[in-house]
Amino acid sequence: MSERVDAGIVAVTVYPGQARITRRGTVPLPAGQRRVVVGGLPIGLRADSVRVTGRGPATVLGVDVVAERHPRSPDVTVEELERRRDDLQARLAELDDEAAVVSAREELIGSLARRSGAAFARALAADSIDVSRVSTVSEALAEQLGTVLAGRRELTERRRDVQLELDEVGRRLNDRLTQQVPDRRAIAVDLEVAEEASVELEVSYLVAEARWESRYDVRLRGDTLSLTWFGLITQHSGEDWPECDLRLSTARPAGAVTVPELDPWYLRRVQAVPLDGSFSIAGMGAGAAAPA
């Protein structure tokens, strides 16, 4: 059985090309084997960089990095932007429908004007219609056509405003390209809980698309020169960093520690080599006689 824990970001260490994120959360657990899941993590986290520690009467049995499939992005900001984008696209569709109605009315008025023009021409030629009536009908058609054209201009302006807002939302979404991916990752920790208690779990992992660089501010006031150093941080890791313990480092951490395979040394006893009749004076004991 698995339990989800709400583990917020408590510390971030930014390196020149990546960052280590530390999350911490507490979950009440009964005794026995339990799986605790920390979800909603960026899809780009390095699975081989995951570290797990904690406090409480529990032992870590194993750690897995699993995928979480979502139909939509679980990120709140992205979700709001996507909802606003969908609303604006629906509004554009409504304006297109209104424009189609205006075009149909314009076409109808134009058709009536053409047919009534031909009928009035024949009636005037036969002197069977009053000229004032022709003028009245013409003015009525012209007024209706003017109203339709004014409505078309208003629709064009409204559609332009909606399109501009939609473009803005699209740019803001593009700034969060990683977060547009709806899928996330989760860290699943298998625990052996000795007794019912609240267990504090701390997980950390490396993410790419994060870096920092030095910036300097030099000011000269009279004969006093002041130099201020600060670090500029940029990140597109796919998650928001809240106010937390933030550190900068010039190190380049490795995700996994690979133990090198050592070359073995083989030892054996040295065997004495026969001298084939030769001998050494230094090796002869006291009182030993030389061979004849």
Side-chain angles (χ1 to χ4, degrees):
M1 182 177 181
S2 62
E3 300 282 347
R4 294 187 70 89
V5 56
D6 183 13
I9 296 177
V10 296
V12 175
T13 302
V14 186
Y15 303 101
Q18 54 191 339
R20 177 165 288 278
I21 313 300
T22 302
R23 291 175 174 265
R24 187 181 301 130
T26 303
V27 57
L29 295 175
Q33 291 189 0
R34 298 290 170 177
R35 166 166 282 204
V36 178
V37 178
V38 180
L41 306 181
I43 196 70
L45 75 82
R46 292 180 52 179
D48 59 355
S49 69
V50 174
R51 305 287 184 266
V52 178
T53 59
R55 294 180 180 179
T59 303
V60 176
L61 301 179
V63 178
D64 293 326
V65 177
V66 297
E68 290 184 330
R69 306 299 182 186
H70 300 280
R72 297 176 65 91
S73 174
D75 183 83
V76 176
T77 303
V78 174
E79 184 179 1
E80 292 177 355
L81 290 173
E82 289 179 338
R83 183 167 55 250
R84 182 58 181 162
R85 179 198 59 191
D86 295 342
D87 293 342
L88 292 172
Q89 289 176 343
R91 183 57 182 155
L92 283 179
E94 293 176 358
L95 292 175
D96 289 340
D97 293 340
E98 293 183 30
V101 173
V102 170
S103 298
R105 291 187 61 189
E106 182 181 357
E107 178 64 26
L108 177 60
I109 293 173
S111 177
L112 290 174
R114 289 190 296 271
R115 285 185 294 177
S116 61
F120 287 154
R122 290 193 298 268
L124 288 173
D127 198 17
S128 60
I129 191 172
D130 188 0
V131 177
S132 61
R133 183 182 176 187
V134 176
S135 177
T136 302
V137 174
S138 299
E139 290 176 359
L141 290 174
E143 182 179 356
Q144 292 185 23
L145 182 59
T147 302
V148 170
L149 294 178
R152 178 186 291 279
R153 289 192 299 270
E154 181 186 359
L155 281 174
T156 301
E157 293 177 0
R158 289 162 58 190
R159 196 182 194 285
R160 180 195 59 195
D161 294 340
V162 174
Q163 185 64 53
L164 289 175
E165 189 173 357
L166 180 61
D167 293 341
E168 178 195 0
V169 172
R171 290 192 300 270
R172 293 174 63 184
L173 275 173
N174 288 334
D175 291 339
R176 306 172 70 95
L177 280 175
T178 306
Q179 295 180 335
Q180 288 190 62
V181 179
D183 295 338
R184 289 290 185 267
R185 280 194 168 186
I187 297 175
V189 183
D190 293 321
L191 299 175
E192 178 68 40
V193 184
E195 59 184 25
E196 182 177 355
S198 293
V199 177
E200 182 184 77
L201 205 63
E202 182 176 292
V203 299
S204 67
Y205 50 88
L206 287 175
V207 293
E209 300 298 330
R211 61 190 300 268
W212 74 273
E213 55 187 9
S214 297
R215 287 290 186 268
Y216 301 93
D217 183 24
V218 182
R219 297 179 183 271
L220 179 63
R221 294 185 179 90
D223 296 334
T224 303
L225 180 67
S226 62
L227 175 64
T228 304
W229 173 90
F230 58 93
L232 179 63
I233 301 173
T234 57
Q235 69 100 357
H236 301 280
S237 62
E239 60 184 352
D240 290 329
W241 295 350
E243 184 176 350
C244 61
D245 181 14
L246 179 63
R247 302 184 182 185
L248 305 181
S249 175
T250 58
R252 298 182 181 274
V257 178
T258 302
V259 179
E261 184 176 352
L262 302 178
D263 294 331
W265 289 3
Y266 298 99
L267 303 179
R268 60 186 178 86
R269 174 180 290 183
V270 178
Q271 301 293 329
V273 179
L275 299 178
D276 297 333
S278 61
F279 62 93
S280 171
I281 299 298
M284 296 178 62

